[in-house]
Amino acid sequence: MSSSFFSKNQIKLDEVVSTNDFLFDLDKMKFIDSNIVVTANFQKSGRGKKIRKWESKKGKNLLMSILFKHKLKFNEQFNFSIIVSLALKDLLTEILDDEVFIKWPNDIIVKDKKIAGFIIENKRSNSVIHTSVLGVGLNINQSLFQAYVPKATSIIKLIKKESDIDSIKDKLLLYLEKYYLSEYTLAENLNKYNDCLYAKNIDLKFRSRNKTFNGRIQRVIESGNIVIKMAKNEKSVELNELEYIY
């Protein structure tokens, strides 16, 4: 079964610099008013958070970007990130026997290892986001990875057999459609998100704005900030301002 919401425009590429860049370039060339899904066997320069690159062997993993045309209030944009996180979490929960966690703000963790990540890039006019490009990397059939912190894992390492990448892509699109078109409120989505938040209530070391501190993750709030409990108070940290120190 495939997603009707995403079935109209799907492009499959053998090799590309970046699927996100491909969609932004396509959006500049002509007027587009519907969603477009792009997958690639290989990205020369797939992006992760900040300046990091996403490692993927050719033809082994799901490398996908989706162009969304919508009207998303700028101050509610974190709900879109929640939707993507929950879709990936539900997909992997269906496939794996292991517990799946969401690591704020955009990674999916299984057995303390990263199995998937995503990036969302937006274009807005005043306070409304009119174009979003979602880039997803999901490790499927790759067994060997470079040394990362946290370490990387994949579906094949966990279930000990190869999976069909297109079938997993179709399932993910169904989960994305479910959450994107649902009438779940931000509060409802956020409750689900916090229920599977990675490393919650565990003593950890963090860095924020060049300062290190110890604390325990408590929850994520509607703005997208994460709340960390320290010895004497709680600290609310903005997106992209926190680094986990392992």
Side-chain angles (χ1 to χ4, degrees):
M1 183 178 179
S2 60
S3 164
S4 58
F5 185 65
F6 293 109
S7 62
K8 184 179 179 182
N9 298 309
Q10 293 200 25
I11 301 169
K12 188 166 185 177
L13 305 172
D14 181 52
E15 188 173 299
V16 68
V17 174
S18 159
T19 51
N20 270 34
D21 288 348
F22 177 89
L23 282 175
F24 275 122
D25 289 343
L26 191 65
D27 190 39
K28 291 176 186 175
M29 291 170 57
K30 55 184 178 181
F31 181 76
I32 295 170
D33 60 1
S34 60
N35 304 312
I36 299 177
V37 178
V38 173
T39 56
N41 289 325
F42 181 70
Q43 289 186 109
K44 294 178 182 177
S45 186
R47 291 196 297 281
K49 189 171 68 173
K50 296 184 180 179
I51 61 172
R52 298 171 190 167
K53 292 186 177 181
W54 184 269
E55 179 204 352
S56 180
K57 300 296 182 184
K58 187 170 185 178
K60 293 292 186 180
N61 303 312
L62 177 61
L63 306 172
M64 178 175 71
S65 292
I66 306 172
L67 179 86
F68 290 84
K69 289 292 187 178
H70 49 198
K71 292 182 179 179
L72 180 65
K73 293 180 181 178
F74 186 74
N75 62 358
E76 296 178 357
Q77 63 180 308
F78 188 66
N79 191 39
F80 189 34
S81 181
I82 293 174
I83 285 168
V84 178
S85 298
L86 292 175
L88 281 164
K89 191 264 181 187
D90 285 1
L91 168 73
L92 288 165
T93 299
E94 177 186 335
I95 295 169
L96 306 173
D97 291 330
D98 302 287
E99 196 167 3
V100 181
F101 294 95
I102 297 169
K103 178 174 175 283
W104 180 89
N106 57 355
D107 290 337
I108 306 297
I109 301 291
V110 180
K111 289 188 171 180
D112 293 317
K113 295 179 181 179
K114 180 175 174 177
I115 194 169
F118 64 90
I119 183 171
I120 298 171
E121 298 177 280
N122 298 311
K123 290 183 179 180
R124 66 169 173 153
S125 177
N126 297 319
S127 62
V128 176
I129 295 169
H130 56 78
T131 303
S132 297
V133 173
L134 162 67
V136 176
L138 171 58
N139 297 331
I140 298 177
N141 292 324
Q142 183 171 334
S143 297
L144 298 175
F145 296 90
Q146 297 177 30
Y148 293 104
V149 179
K151 293 181 179 179
T153 191
S154 62
I155 291 174
I156 194 172
K157 288 174 71 69
L158 294 165
I159 68 172
K160 310 303 180 187
K161 63 179 181 179
E162 286 200 351
S163 301
D164 183 78
I165 296 172
D166 284 336
S167 294
I168 290 177
K169 176 206 71 175
D170 290 341
K171 286 182 180 180
L172 177 55
L173 291 176
L174 282 170
Y175 280 116
L176 283 168
E177 177 181 351
K178 168 191 167 183
Y179 282 105
Y180 188 78
L181 298 180
S182 77
E183 295 182 357
Y184 295 134
T185 65
L186 172 57
E188 289 171 326
N189 284 336
L190 189 59
N191 283 337
K192 290 183 180 182
Y193 185 98
N194 279 315
D195 283 345
C196 51
L197 190 61
Y198 178 68
K200 191 163 56 175
N201 291 317
I202 296 172
D203 289 320
L204 294 172
K205 181 177 283 189
F206 304 95
R207 182 181 292 112
S208 178
R209 298 183 179 179
N210 297 319
K211 293 182 179 179
T212 60
F213 62 95
N214 296 313
R216 291 185 169 204
I217 293 171
Q218 299 297 293
R219 63 195 177 278
V220 174
I221 58 179
E222 291 188 0
S223 65
N225 288 13
I226 192 166
V227 177
I228 299 172
K229 185 177 182 181
M230 298 179 293
K232 295 182 179 180
N233 60 351
E234 287 189 342
K235 182 182 183 73
S236 175
V237 185
E238 296 179 3
L239 284 164
N240 299 320
E241 291 293 337
L242 187 75
E243 179 183 353
Y244 298 71
I245 301 175
Y246 295 88

